[in-house]
Amino acid sequence: MIQRAIKSGAKNQDSAIYYSKKAYDLAKKEKDTFLIGSTGYYYSFFLISIDKIEEAQLLLRFNFDNQDKLNSVLKGNTYYNQAAIFDISEQFDKALEYYFYSLDFYKTANNKKGLAKSYLQIGVIYEKLDKLKLADYFFDASLEVSGNTNKKHEVDSTGRGMPSSEKTDESLKMLKELEKGENDKLKSIVLYNLGQSLMGEKRYSEAIGYFKRSIEIKKRLNFLINIDKTYFLLGQCYYNINNAENAILNLNKAKKENKKRTQLAEIEYFLSKSYESKQDYKKALLYSNNYKFISDSIAEFKQNERIAEITAKFESQKQANKIIKLQQENQKNELEIYKQENLRWRWSLVALVTSIIAAWLGRRFLKSQERVKEIELEKEHIAMKVEEIAVILNNKTKVYLKELKYIKSDGNYLEFVTDKKRIIDRNKIKDILEELPPNFVKVHRSYIINKNYVSSISRSNVILQPDIHIPLSRTFKSNLT
């Protein structure tokens, strides 16, 4: 079944999925951990190629949980697929970490094919991060292990370090060889690479034809990796030949397929430029503002996740210490007053001898003693109170709840809105709702609001101060009562 899946993968992804799933189901019936892990790897590989990431992740989780029963090659394959998932979501630090793990396992097994593909993908990531010397090192390592200079065509990348004209010639030669065979999957990749190299030569009209053919084959195969970028590059080509209508059409297709924040910013930029060329300045301004907003968000959160986490913890601690220090100063003053009053009552008790006055002073003394103890207890609980006023997002940003007006859901991302800023975080609306206090309620399947900012309610909207209109669904209207 696996051999059938691999053979089908070059022509039809649906068939590859069918056979790899059938193999996986048979392995589960056998209750053999190694067989389940092995077939699960192949099944996850084909699921990733059609963008079914969550299903693939579940299969890989089984392998991670049973590593002691897998051989080195299968461990390497498992870490490679997990790295690919992180790579697709632009979590490059984690992708590199897992590709390096895969290298270790492939080295143990002396698996040259695994080493070649891991070296190659590490090089691709370093190239994306503009670390070109590192990228060259890993590209060279991949070629040295594989002994195949055409290996770069196995990913959608034209191979940096070669002039565009040479890239075009190499891709045309390879395409000519592929036209005779049936490896449509590799053909779609070479067509994409050919379009890229033609763009490098500013031969945009020719590039359009190759990008279209690549998309046509990928859709037929249900091979969806980089199809969003293909539409994006196609839109750029049309923009460069002053065909704004087709540029906008393909850029919107790219936007619909897109799952990468950095590419989304570029799409919004070229949409703005395309509408500007049509003299539709209203829409041009809209997309220009979208581009600026997304770019600012990326700049704010593009830091390495571990550095961001440390920074967030430091800032939280610094703010907490500042608040505690201020409150401690106030308490110190109040405590001093009570201590002085306490001392006065002590002397008064000694000086006054009458039982009535002594009883009265005694009560006051006890009250002042109790207040001293209360203040000491309050000091111990200040740090706990500090944490109650904010929520830490998945991207490690801290959002103060008293400033948060509403949260908007957009696919796998949430937008947190205050008067001062908007923050984008990869999260789910139902998960974040569980972390919020009762004054945050869901009023629409895509919106959570802070009831403290509600100024009025209409049949279909909630109006937040000063004049923010949020859609109100009948399903969630009772949350406002």
Side-chain angles (χ1 to χ4, degrees):
M1 290 298 129
I2 290 297
Q3 290 303 320
R4 287 183 182 182
I6 294 169
K7 189 175 180 180
S8 300
K11 303 176 185 177
N12 189 304
Q13 294 300 106
D14 290 336
S15 294
I17 292 289
Y18 171 78
Y19 288 122
S20 58
K21 184 180 186 305
K22 197 165 184 178
Y24 177 69
D25 290 340
L26 287 169
K28 284 201 296 182
K29 287 181 181 178
E30 293 292 326
K31 296 181 180 179
D32 183 306
T33 302
F34 181 80
L35 279 179
I36 294 170
S38 184
T39 54
Y41 152 70
Y42 284 103
Y43 187 21
S44 71
F45 176 83
F46 292 115
L47 286 170
I48 292 168
S49 75
I50 61 170
D51 206 28
K52 292 192 175 181
I53 303 301
E54 290 183 6
E55 292 178 45
Q57 187 70 74
L58 288 174
L59 295 167
L60 295 176
R61 177 48 51 200
F62 176 87
N63 288 15
F64 286 123
D65 291 341
N66 294 276
Q67 285 191 65
D68 57 325
K69 297 178 182 176
L70 310 181
N71 63 23
S72 294
V73 174
L74 186 47
K75 288 178 187 176
N77 289 340
T78 301
Y79 277 89
Y80 180 91
N81 275 12
Q82 181 64 64
I85 289 173
F86 286 131
D87 195 354
I88 289 167
S89 63
E90 294 188 331
Q91 299 180 67
F92 296 132
D93 59 330
K94 290 185 177 179
L96 285 171
E97 181 183 350
Y98 278 80
Y99 279 134
F100 280 120
Y101 278 132
S102 71
L103 280 177
D104 289 339
F105 290 118
Y106 289 139
K107 284 176 183 176
T108 301
N110 194 25
N111 186 289
K112 291 186 178 181
K113 184 178 179 181
L115 287 169
K117 68 181 183 180
S118 291
Y119 279 132
L120 179 66
Q121 292 309 119
I122 291 170
V124 170
I125 290 179
Y126 277 125
E127 187 174 42
K128 288 177 185 175
L129 297 174
D130 206 27
K131 297 182 183 293
L132 304 184
K133 287 185 179 180
L134 278 170
D136 283 337
Y137 172 83
F138 286 102
F139 286 144
D140 290 343
S142 177
L143 292 172
E144 185 179 344
V145 170
S146 67
N148 181 5
T149 55
N150 286 325
K151 194 72 178 177
K152 58 182 170 291
H153 281 290
E154 290 193 5
V155 292
D156 290 3
S157 171
T158 54
R160 185 182 46 76
M162 186 188 295
S164 293
S165 57
E166 288 185 36
K167 295 175 192 175
T168 302
D169 291 341
E170 287 297 320
S171 294
L172 283 170
K173 287 176 187 176
M174 193 170 187
L175 183 62
K176 190 174 181 181
E177 294 173 14
L178 288 168
E179 297 287 14
K180 302 171 187 176
E182 297 182 346
N183 194 339
D184 288 342
K185 185 175 177 181
L186 185 55
K187 193 186 298 181
S188 73
I189 294 171
V190 175
L191 287 165
Y192 170 87
N193 290 343
L194 189 50
Q196 278 195 312
S197 57
L198 287 167
M199 280 187 76
E201 297 181 59
K202 298 185 179 180
R203 294 160 64 180
Y204 300 115
S205 296
E206 294 173 70
I208 287 170
Y210 290 109
F211 282 136
K212 281 185 172 180
R213 283 185 64 192
S214 178
I215 290 171
E216 181 185 340
I217 294 171
K218 283 187 174 185
K219 282 196 165 184
R220 175 162 51 81
L221 296 178
N222 198 19
F223 176 56
L224 303 178
I225 289 179
N226 263 356
I227 199 163
D228 55 340
K229 191 171 182 182
T230 314
Y231 277 122
F232 171 56
L233 295 176
L234 192 52
Q236 277 187 263
C237 287
Y238 277 118
Y239 169 75
N240 282 302
I241 62 171
N242 298 316
N243 188 335
E245 290 294 341
N246 275 318
I248 291 166
L249 177 68
N250 283 283
L251 288 168
N252 278 319
K253 286 180 180 178
K255 189 174 178 180
K256 184 179 179 182
E257 300 285 345
N258 177 66
K259 292 178 177 61
K260 308 176 186 78
R261 283 206 311 273
T262 50
Q263 186 171 291
L264 181 57
E266 293 175 327
I267 293 170
E268 297 286 353
Y269 172 78
F270 277 98
L271 279 169
S272 173
K273 298 292 287 183
S274 298
Y275 278 110
E276 186 179 347
S277 69
K278 286 183 65 181
Q279 297 185 338
D280 188 343
Y281 298 111
K282 185 177 180 180
K283 286 188 176 178
L285 179 61
L286 171 67
Y287 287 106
S288 179
N289 286 334
N290 288 347
Y291 164 70
K292 184 177 184 306
F293 170 67
I294 296 168
S295 298
D296 289 345
S297 298
I298 292 168
E300 188 174 353
F301 304 122
K302 203 176 180 180
Q303 299 300 318
N304 180 285
E305 195 168 305
R306 293 180 182 86
I307 296 172
E309 183 177 2
I310 293 167
T311 304
K313 285 181 178 178
F314 169 73
E315 290 297 331
S316 298
Q317 186 60 49
K318 187 170 69 174
Q319 187 68 17
N321 290 339
K322 187 176 179 181
I323 294 169
I324 291 170
K325 189 175 179 180
L326 287 171
Q327 294 195 5
Q328 283 175 336
E329 284 295 323
N330 291 336
Q331 288 177 330
K332 185 179 177 182
N333 293 334
E334 188 177 356
L335 187 59
E336 189 60 36
I337 292 169
Y338 275 95
K339 281 181 177 178
Q340 289 175 6
E341 186 179 353
N342 192 351
L343 187 61
R344 284 200 301 273
W345 293 123
R346 283 177 184 269
W347 284 107
S348 299
L349 282 169
V350 173
L352 298 173
V353 293
T354 63
S355 59
I356 298 174
I357 296 174
W360 178 70
L361 290 174
R363 283 196 298 270
R364 293 293 302 273
F365 171 77
L366 291 172
K367 284 183 180 178
S368 65
Q369 285 283 71
E370 289 171 2
R371 180 56 183 151
V372 169
K373 291 179 182 178
E374 288 172 5
I375 292 169
E376 294 291 350
L377 286 171
E378 286 175 5
K379 287 168 68 178
E380 293 176 7
H381 291 294
I382 290 170
M384 292 174 62
K385 292 178 182 177
V386 171
E387 290 303 317
E388 294 171 3
I389 62 175
V391 63
I392 303 293
L393 306 182
N394 286 339
N395 60 27
K396 310 308 175 188
T397 304
K398 191 170 187 178
V399 179
Y400 287 92
L401 299 185
K402 66 179 181 182
E403 298 174 356
L404 182 59
K405 288 197 168 180
Y406 67 92
I407 302 166
K408 180 182 178 183
S409 171
D410 185 7
N412 291 325
Y413 290 89
L414 296 182
E415 184 180 350
F416 294 76
V417 181
T418 71
D419 282 332
K420 297 177 183 176
K421 59 185 177 181
R422 294 170 180 260
I423 300 167
I424 295 175
D425 181 53
R426 189 176 179 87
N427 213 322
K428 292 183 179 178
I429 198 165
K430 66 171 186 175
D431 293 339
I432 198 67
L433 189 59
E434 293 174 358
E435 298 182 32
L436 298 172
N439 56 302
F440 285 89
V441 295
K442 196 172 183 182
V443 295
H444 184 272
R445 63 185 177 86
S446 300
Y447 286 89
I448 294 172
I449 66 158
N450 185 345
K451 290 201 293 187
N452 295 340
Y453 287 100
V454 174
S455 59
S456 62
I457 302 169
S458 67
R459 177 177 294 179
S460 59
N461 284 282
V462 179
I463 295 89
L464 305 181
Q465 300 166 3
D467 188 26
I468 303 169
H469 290 252
I470 305 293
L472 175 61
S473 167
R474 284 188 298 176
T475 308
F476 302 105
K477 202 164 188 177
S478 59
N479 290 343
L480 291 169
T481 57

